[in-house]
Amino acid sequence: MERGYIHVYTGNGKGKTTAALGISLRCVCAGKRVFFGQFIKDWEYSELRAEEILPNFEIVQFGRGCFIDRDPEEEDRRAAREGLARCDRVLQSGEYDLVVLDEVNVALFYDLFEAADVLEVLERRNPRVEVVLTGRYAPQEIIDAADLVTEMKEVKHYFNEGVGARTGIER
């Protein structure tokens, strides 16, 4: 790739991480290297096994869990900042063709770090690296910096009928 673009997948609908995993698969199948950093998350998602199966795919979690039933703590902020620092190094290295910052917008929403911090990381990246930022609540600064923005809109979701996250589909 001559120039890497910045993608944002946001909105309240399902499919942001799934879309990022899809483009990651496409890159790996084209012989490219992918780094997939997950902010907030610490559950055992099925995609964590991908690096066992896919060559040139690395996935790392930088979270301590969701904030559905608790407020973020200083340890959450520290983990997120360390994750952003790791992504900064990865993006500057040029070692990967695609770097995903999964749920980074949610980390911003919960003030684990500032949008300015993410923008600095994006500015310092190797210019040929493609970047995907996912998560609800993408702030306007991130949207403005992006080359491609897709908003996932929930129209209907079986979760509202009591269906929980299923292995291999939502997790």
Side-chain angles (χ1 to χ4, degrees), residues 143-160:
I143 290 170
D144 291 345
D147 300 295
L148 178 150
V149 178
T150 299
E151 182 177 6
M152 310 306 199
K153 178 182 173 189
E154 181 179 320
V155 175
K156 186 176 184 181
H157 198 310
Y158 42 77
F159 178 79
N160 297 322

Side-chain angles (χ1 to χ4, degrees), residues 6-169:
I6 299 170
H7 306 223
V8 172
Y9 306 152
T10 192
N12 70 337
K14 177 182 174 343
K16 297 170 289 291
T17 297
T18 304
L21 287 164
I23 197 170
S24 296
L25 176 64
R26 183 172 279 163
C27 276
V28 167
C29 290
K32 299 180 182 307
R33 297 197 66 205
V34 175
F35 181 87
F36 203 101
Q38 292 189 314
F39 291 87
I40 312 286
K41 295 177 176 176
D42 73 341
W43 294 349
E44 285 294 319
Y45 291 93
S46 298
E47 63 261 25
L48 294 176
R49 294 193 54 231
E51 65 184 0
E52 299 169 16
I53 301 165
L54 298 173
N56 299 320
F57 182 88
E58 182 177 354
I59 187 167
V60 180
Q61 290 184 324
F62 306 124
R64 297 181 57 238
C66 296
F67 304 115
I68 296 169
D69 58 355
R70 68 179 180 90
D71 291 328
E73 300 168 356
E74 184 52 38
E75 202 169 323
D76 296 301
R77 288 178 187 77
R78 182 190 50 73
R81 286 190 305 266
E82 288 175 4
L84 189 60
R86 170 94 182 265
C87 290
D88 189 18
R89 291 188 301 274
V90 166
L91 283 160
Q92 288 183 54
S93 75
E95 185 180 339
Y96 296 87
D97 301 288
L98 173 68
V99 176
V100 177
L101 282 66
D102 187 38
E103 304 294 1
V104 71
N105 295 322
V106 177
L108 289 168
F109 179 79
Y110 283 104
D111 296 319
L112 302 185
F113 40 71
E114 301 293 322
D117 300 326
V118 176
L119 294 173
E120 287 177 20
V121 165
L122 294 174
E123 185 66 31
R124 285 192 295 262
R125 83 185 195 282
N126 183 309
R128 70 167 198 76
V129 177
E130 198 89 4
V131 185
V132 174
L133 297 92
T134 75
R136 297 170 185 245
Y137 320 119
Q140 192 61 50
E141 305 96 312
I142 298 297
I143 290 170
D144 291 345
D147 300 295
L148 178 150
V149 178
T150 299
E151 182 177 6
M152 310 306 199
K153 178 182 173 189
E154 181 179 320
V155 175
K156 186 176 184 181
H157 198 310
Y158 42 77
F159 178 79
N160 297 322
E161 302 299 320
V163 177
R166 298 167 299 146
T167 300
I169 305 298

